[in-house]
Amino acid sequence: MTQAHAINDARKDPGIAANDGGAPQNISDCGQIVLVLQGGGALGAYQAGVYQALHEAGIEPDWVIGTSIGAINASLIAGNKPENRLARLDEFWSRVGHKPALEAIAGLPWLGRALPNWMTLTSGIPSFFRPNPFAFLGLHAPLSADAAGYYSTGPLEATLTDLVDFSLVQSGPTRLTVGAANAQTSEMRYFDSRDTKLTARHVMASGALPPAFPAVRIDGELFWDGGILSNTPVEAVFDDTPRRNSLVFAVHIWNPSGPEPETIWQVLNRQKDIQYSSRAVSHIKRQKQIHRLRHIIAELAMRLPERERDTNLVREMAGYGCLTRIHVVRLVAPPLEGEDHTKDIDFSRAGIRCRWAAGYEDTRRVLADAPWEGEVNPIEGFYLHECRPATAPMK
């Protein structure tokens, strides 16, 4: 079937919306449910809270897309049966949380709160990564490309193998996509369970942030953390073929907006937020423009006489149009009170609990509001719903 015929048949396809101006009556009318998870280390506990709220509401994603810690959380969701997903997420975050003795230090005044993060840098996290002593022998010491990092992520491979059923990733109902950066070509690569047999190493590649973690070799090529190119992998939804009606929960754990930094620590913190939010706002605005043009093309094509629509030239031009509708719910994690540029390695149990709870409450609020059920302009086709964090930092 040509793209033009696909447009003409759109009104018959429940997966493609016609421009009738009606709003979805419930969440199942929105099409596929997509969960998009940013990278950001310890900040990813917020994503676990988001999933918990969705799960408790009876909403399971059809497709989970992640980068770095987002890829890890995504694999824990897609690689387990729905009834086991929360338990696996809880188990992972329990394993990477600080040990009780370190938690006791964190309860001391300011220095105590900062010290565990610095101890993470020096000693690693047993279930996640451990120091690579060979990397400290000298900056020019010869290391293999697979080992050139300050830490080894061997423990993460063992943890993922224990908690994720990768055979279920391939055969289960939830599609998994993880983003990684090709270390030699600087191209973004999305490994997708629809096309590729995914393993723990694909997830590890998505989180191989240099120079901390070494690149991961897949099919002879080296890959680093996808966040160094695109830390917000929502583009994978926009570029998917064929496009489908979608309700996308895009979970951002780096805040694109923030106050003016006044100290060096604040500068470092703000720099990370800007870098890893990955121009998400501008990307979404551009996709909104592009999708509106697709709708206009589709509408114009359908207004042509049938004999014109059947010409090769018009079919080719009409192929650039579509009638799908995409609702994007953007959740942005609020900051913790007093956090600094080491927040992405704040694996304190208190920090994990607080961020998890914030993701849970934000998602419950947006589910209660159900902004996708409101009236929309049918010509747009792309609808952004902002869920802003609380104005006061979490404590």
Side-chain angles (χ1 to χ4, degrees):
M1 180 185 294
T2 67
Q3 290 286 348
H5 285 138
I7 290 172
N8 292 335
D9 290 344
R11 300 182 191 278
K12 305 174 186 177
D13 187 343
I16 302 178
N19 282 340
D20 55 11
Q25 296 303 302
N26 54 61
I27 202 166
S28 63
D29 295 333
C30 292
Q32 66 178 346
I33 305 297
V34 186
L35 185 58
V36 178
L37 307 176
Q38 224 178 36
L43 307 180
Y46 179 87
Q47 300 167 347
V50 170
Y51 173 75
Q52 180 183 357
L54 293 173
H55 176 78
E56 290 182 358
I59 302 168
E60 294 295 339
D62 300 295
W63 186 10
V64 193
I65 308 168
T67 298
S68 200
I69 193 66
I72 293 174
N73 281 330
S75 70
L76 290 163
I77 294 169
N80 283 286
K81 295 179 180 179
E83 61 268 26
N84 297 328
R85 290 170 173 175
L86 267 181
R88 292 293 185 269
L89 283 165
D90 185 66
E91 175 65 19
F92 172 80
W93 286 97
S94 294
R95 290 190 188 189
V96 300
H98 289 160
K99 300 306 178 187
L102 207 53
E103 287 290 295
I105 295 175
L108 298 174
W110 181 84
L111 181 61
R113 180 167 182 171
L115 187 59
N117 291 351
W118 293 107
M119 292 183 69
T120 296
L121 286 175
T122 57
S123 60
I125 295 175
S127 296
F128 200 157
F129 57 91
R130 59 174 177 265
N132 175 17
F134 297 103
F136 296 92
L137 295 178
L139 293 178
H140 301 289
L143 296 169
S144 69
D146 309 74
Y150 289 118
Y151 304 91
S152 165
T153 51
L156 175 60
E157 185 169 16
T159 297
L160 289 172
T161 301
D162 190 25
L163 298 180
V164 178
D165 181 353
F166 283 95
S167 66
L168 186 61
V169 170
Q170 299 306 129
S171 62
T174 303
R175 178 180 171 189
L176 174 64
T177 303
V178 298
N182 190 304
Q184 293 177 285
T185 67
S186 71
E187 293 179 312
M188 192 70 179
R189 172 75 181 273
Y190 286 106
F191 295 103
D192 194 318
S193 63
R194 187 178 61 179
D195 313 312
T196 305
K197 183 177 180 180
L198 300 186
T199 67
R201 293 189 63 76
H202 292 88
V203 179
M204 293 166 63
S206 182
L209 183 64
F213 300 153
V216 176
R217 193 178 300 278
I218 297 175
D219 296 331
E221 296 184 284
L222 287 173
F223 290 92
W224 273 330
D225 191 311
I228 64 178
L229 287 177
S230 180
N231 198 41
T232 311
V234 71
E235 64 193 24
V237 183
F238 304 147
D239 295 336
D240 194 36
T241 303
R243 281 182 290 275
R244 297 177 56 193
N245 287 347
S246 303
L247 175 56
V248 182
F249 293 92
V251 187
H252 295 212
I253 50 182
W254 298 95
N255 208 310
S257 303
E260 293 183 355
E262 298 177 344
T263 69
I264 293 299
W265 290 147
Q266 291 172 0
V267 167
L268 292 171
N269 186 38
R270 188 73 198 117
Q271 180 266 333
K272 273 191 172 182
D273 272 334
I274 293 172
Q275 178 180 353
Y276 291 119
S277 62
S278 291
R279 295 168 51 222
V281 175
S282 61
H283 285 320
I284 287 175
K285 286 181 178 178
R286 178 57 56 86
Q287 287 296 331
K288 185 178 178 70
Q289 294 170 345
I290 293 172
H291 211 67
R292 187 173 192 272
L293 289 174
R294 291 185 182 125
H295 269 234
I296 290 173
I297 292 170
E299 288 290 340
L300 288 173
M302 288 191 294
R303 292 173 187 270
L304 292 173
E306 186 173 356
R307 61 184 177 81
E308 292 289 338
R309 290 201 306 267
D310 285 339
T311 65
N312 291 335
L313 179 59
V314 171
R315 287 177 182 176
E316 181 182 353
M317 291 188 292
Y320 290 96
C322 79
L323 292 170
T324 56
R325 289 182 179 171
I326 299 178
H327 289 265
V328 176
V329 178
R330 198 165 78 99
L331 296 121
V332 182
L336 278 179
E337 185 177 26
E339 70 181 18
D340 61 19
H341 64 289
T342 65
K343 59 190 177 185
D344 51 333
I345 56 169
D346 174 21
F347 287 94
S348 66
R349 295 182 184 274
I352 289 171
R353 285 195 302 270
C354 203
R355 292 188 170 97
W356 187 310
Y360 178 74
E361 292 301 330
D362 285 351
T363 307
R364 287 189 63 189
R365 186 172 70 252
V366 81
L367 289 176
D369 293 342
W372 50 86
E373 293 181 3
E375 292 295 328
V376 295
N377 181 351
I379 202 65
E380 295 292 338
F382 184 106
Y383 313 102
L384 177 63
H385 310 288
E386 297 275 11
C387 177
R388 292 293 183 182
T391 54
M394 297 181 291
K395 296 183 179 181

